Amino acid sequence: MNQGGKYDSVTIKQLSANSVQRSQALAGEKISVDSRTRALLRQLPSVDELLQEPSIREMVQTLPRWAVVEAIREVLERRRRMIAKGPPGATSSSDLPSRAALVTEAQQIAARLSGPALRHLINATGVVIHTNLGRAPLAEAAIERVVEAARGYSNLEYDLEGGDRGSRQDHVERLLCRLTGAEAALAVNNNAAAVLLAINTLAEGKEVIVSRGELVEIGDSFRIPDIMRRAGGILREVGTTNRTYLRDYEDAVGATSAMLLKVHTSNFRIQGFANQVSVAELASLGEKAGLPVVEDVGSGALVDLSQLGLSKEPMPSESIRAGADLVTFSGDKLLGGPQAGLIAGKRLLVERLRRNPLARAVRIDKLSLAALEATLRLYLDEGRALAHVPVLRALVMPLQEIERRARHLRDRIAALASGHLEVSIIEGTSEVGGGALPLEAIPTRLVAVQGVHLTAPVLEGRLRRTDPPVMVRIKDDRIVLDPRTVSEDELDTLANLVTSVAVPKKADS
Ligand SMILES: *Cc1c(COP(=O)(O)O)cnc(C)c1O
């Protein structure tokens, strides 16, 4: 214990000595610190001094010491930066924070540091598959299986019948085949890995023919040309951005061709004077030329969304039926399962992918596998999938249900925040998100909340710091809550949190 304490104080002293320079380096700016500023900086307490404050000593009883020390450092660092960045000579000692303010701030930071960094939050944005917010919430059945697989040992790679080594793929392959109509299937870490593995296995050092209209970027790091290069394939672009014909592919086929790749333009649409070649046409060309046809359908809906009042998203089963040799898709987009990349298609090709050493590098972990199996099982009966997969439930939630939730929210907020907030229900739209159906605006009802004394950005910022945090949208200087993505048992918590940030506290002034 003693030694730990000593170690801490040495580190702290070194840090304090360098912290002004460090803050400047962090801010990436050159700041000339004049003598007055320097005098102000010297008036700030040291880490050791703050550690002696009674309320801080109390804090160390309940929070880990390392978190308290780190929080104090961060608070002082912030203050030094504020002082050093102010215009030279303009700062006065009245700008110096009180000890109490420093302690309160440190307390908040220490609490945050000692709690989990990856946290549950309430998604009131109405974006159903929000990549930044963790994409698909899992079905209860999947959650149960994850917990079970996490808690103990399992037959992950053991064949209980034969008493021999098994493959982790055995737990999902049959399900994937049944749901896509493919002969064989493979689950990997995510769809980016699935595409990488397919290109690397089938086309390393050779040409992959792709339409210029399908050279997509998904999120900020998945770009077809980049993945192609990393996978060792040589991109052979054909056609134009808006129009590509079968003859463009035909003209490009040659001795160095290894694969025809079709990529779903998940997060954008080319409309108007446009043409893309269908999988069926590519499949017939592939057959003639002896080239495998791979389609990355992106989201990969396992139920036909057009029957549910939404626009069509490509289905893996349709791609297989149309003649694709392999189809790849995500586990945590419209499928509503865990992060995973799913590959389905011809047995010989799937076997080649499995034998690629990269397959090991991108293999799916047991927790995702447990969730994936449970999610896929729900899809064996479409009705069960629609009733239990949260992403699907949210997408097909009847407007009456949304309205009921919206009224519940509105009434509760109005009752709790009398005088501080104006609440109403307005019409609006929800988004699918996750790079699927980018043009789809699903009608919804929004609970619009306006602060009597607070602007929407202030309310939004405070809601990000509640426990649990709440994510909202801002519309016409009001925050809006979309009940579509808020679960039934989060409604009251949400109403309480929204109210809590609008009721003035002494510390806010
Ligand atoms: C989302 C998407 C990917 C990436 O999938 P991840 O599972 O996020 O790795 C690849 N291709 C398309 C067409 C996509 O829509």
Side-chain angles (χ1 to χ4, degrees):
M1 283 302 277
N2 269 343
Q3 272 184 335
K6 237 185 244 164
Y7 176 76
D8 269 342
S9 61
V10 170
T11 325
I12 293 158
K13 279 197 195 111
Q14 287 169 340
L15 263 171
S16 325
N18 290 326
S19 54
V20 174
Q21 283 133 295
R22 256 173 35 113
S23 352
Q24 289 166 5
L26 280 176
E29 293 159 49
K30 261 211 182 115
I31 303 159
S32 64
V33 182
D34 64 39
S35 54
R36 245 177 97 183
T37 306
R38 224 170 303 173
L40 274 179
L41 286 171
R42 271 199 297 274
Q43 282 179 43
L44 278 177
S46 72
V47 176
D48 283 336
E49 274 165 15
L50 278 182
L51 275 170
Q52 299 310 316
E53 285 277 323
S55 44
I56 296 272
R57 292 166 75 135
E58 216 168 278
M59 212 191 294
V60 181
Q61 304 298 313
T62 53
L63 295 174
R65 190 184 154 82
W66 66 264
V68 176
V69 172
E70 208 157 302
I72 293 175
R73 272 185 210 148
E74 196 173 317
V75 168
L76 291 175
E77 190 90 11
R78 279 187 198 172
R79 298 299 172 153
R80 287 195 187 97
R81 202 173 313 170
M82 266 153 67
I83 295 171
K85 266 181 79 177
T91 27
S92 72
S93 49
S94 63
D95 294 337
L96 276 179
S98 67
R99 284 273 168 118
L102 293 178
V103 168
T104 311
E105 208 176 312
Q107 205 145 18
Q108 282 163 358
I109 296 173
R112 176 164 56 71
L113 289 176
S114 52
L118 178 62
R119 301 157 67 192
H120 161 69
L121 56 72
I122 296 178
N123 173 13
T125 65
V127 181
V128 177
I129 308 167
H130 200 307
T131 296
N132 301 145
L133 306 186
R135 287 199 182 157
L138 294 178
E140 274 312 317
I143 295 166
E144 281 165 24
R145 298 294 312 284
V146 171
V147 171
E148 207 177 291
R151 186 164 282 140
Y153 298 103
S154 60
N155 62 336
L156 179 65
E157 290 187 346
Y158 194 79
D159 172 8
L160 292 170
E161 286 298 314
D164 205 355
R165 196 198 150 97
S167 162
R168 64 180 64 208
Q169 300 296 337
D170 292 348
H171 307 296
V172 289
E173 184 173 19
R174 203 183 289 257
L175 286 164
L176 282 167
C177 289
R178 179 174 291 241
L179 294 167
T180 60
E183 297 169 11
L186 181 63
V188 294
N189 179 53
N190 59 14
N191 190 27
V195 176
L196 180 87
L197 185 62
I199 296 171
N200 181 264
T201 308
L202 306 180
E204 194 177 13
K206 304 224 178 80
E207 281 186 359
V208 178
I209 306 172
V210 191
S211 161
R212 286 197 171 89
E214 297 175 358
L215 296 175
V216 307
E217 171 179 313
I218 310 283
D220 56 2
S221 54
F222 181 88
R223 308 173 96 192
I224 291 293
D226 296 345
I227 286 279
M228 185 70 68
R229 203 171 318 115
R230 290 294 172 164
I234 299 162
L235 178 62
R236 178 68 190 267
E237 304 173 22
V238 296
T240 63
T241 304
N242 57 329
R243 307 200 111 191
T244 302
Y245 302 96
L246 187 59
R247 65 168 183 274
D248 296 320
Y249 288 89
E250 284 167 346
D251 290 348
V253 170
T256 50
S257 314
M259 170 174 160
L260 305 175
L261 176 63
K262 185 166 176 61
V263 184
H264 178 47
T265 58
S266 296
N267 50 3
F268 69 101
R269 293 286 181 268
I270 295 175
Q271 291 181 327
F273 194 63
N275 188 65
Q276 292 297 338
V277 177
S278 71
V279 191
E281 287 173 289
L282 284 185
S284 64
L285 173 59
E287 193 154 17
K288 260 189 278 168
L291 296 174
V293 174
V294 177
E295 184 176 25
D296 170 11
V297 294
S299 211
L302 294 182
V303 297
D304 186 351
L305 297 179
S306 64
Q307 309 227 317
L308 305 170
L310 295 162
S311 305
K312 184 98 189 169
E313 265 288 295
M315 297 176 68
S317 56
E318 289 175 349
S319 180
I320 295 288
R321 212 177 311 134
D325 295 295
L326 285 182
V327 56
T328 79
F329 51 106
S330 287
D332 55 355
K333 291 185 181 172
L334 284 169
L335 201 153
Q339 179 186 307
L342 308 167
I343 304 162
K346 298 269 161 65
R347 176 154 300 282
L348 281 177
L349 297 181
V350 170
E351 284 305 326
R352 281 177 64 192
L353 263 61
R354 274 192 200 205
R355 285 196 302 270
N356 185 332
L358 265 186
R360 168 58 195 263
V362 298
R363 81 176 177 187
I364 187 168
D365 81 288
K366 67 174 177 181
L367 302 185
S368 305
L369 195 66
L372 181 63
E373 186 200 346
T375 309
L376 293 175
R377 273 190 196 285
L378 291 172
Y379 277 97
L380 294 177
D381 173 347
E382 198 169 301
R384 280 181 72 207
L386 288 172
H388 298 291
V389 174
V391 162
L392 295 181
R393 283 181 59 140
L395 288 175
V396 303
M397 191 181 287
L399 209 48
Q400 288 151 288
E401 169 63 16
I402 296 180
E403 229 158 45
R404 188 187 62 74
R405 292 177 180 207
R407 278 197 298 268
H408 181 97
L409 269 176
R410 178 200 58 194
D411 294 347
R412 196 170 166 99
I413 295 171
L416 293 170
S418 56
H420 295 294
L421 292 172
E422 279 165 18
V423 209
S424 56
I425 296 176
I426 60 173
E427 292 185 4
T429 53
S430 314
E431 272 177 56
V432 178
L437 300 172
L439 307 183
E440 196 89 1
I442 315 168
T444 194
R445 294 292 178 266
L446 302 168
V447 178
V449 182
Q450 191 164 26
V452 174
H453 303 292
L454 299 166
T455 65
V458 168
L459 287 174
E460 184 269 341
R462 287 187 185 175
L463 282 168
R464 270 189 278 118
R465 292 173 179 85
T466 53
D467 185 23
V470 178
M471 308 301 289
V472 300
R473 274 189 284 157
I474 294 181
K475 201 179 170 196
D476 306 326
D477 202 38
R478 289 184 290 186
I479 58 165
V480 292
L481 315 170
D482 189 338
R484 184 186 296 279
T485 47
V486 180
S487 72
E488 186 74 39
D489 55 6
E490 286 171 336
L491 286 177
D492 285 348
T493 311
L494 174 58
N496 294 346
L497 291 169
V498 169
T499 316
S500 75
V501 299
V503 176
K505 292 183 212 112
K506 268 168 262 152
D508 292 341
S509 55

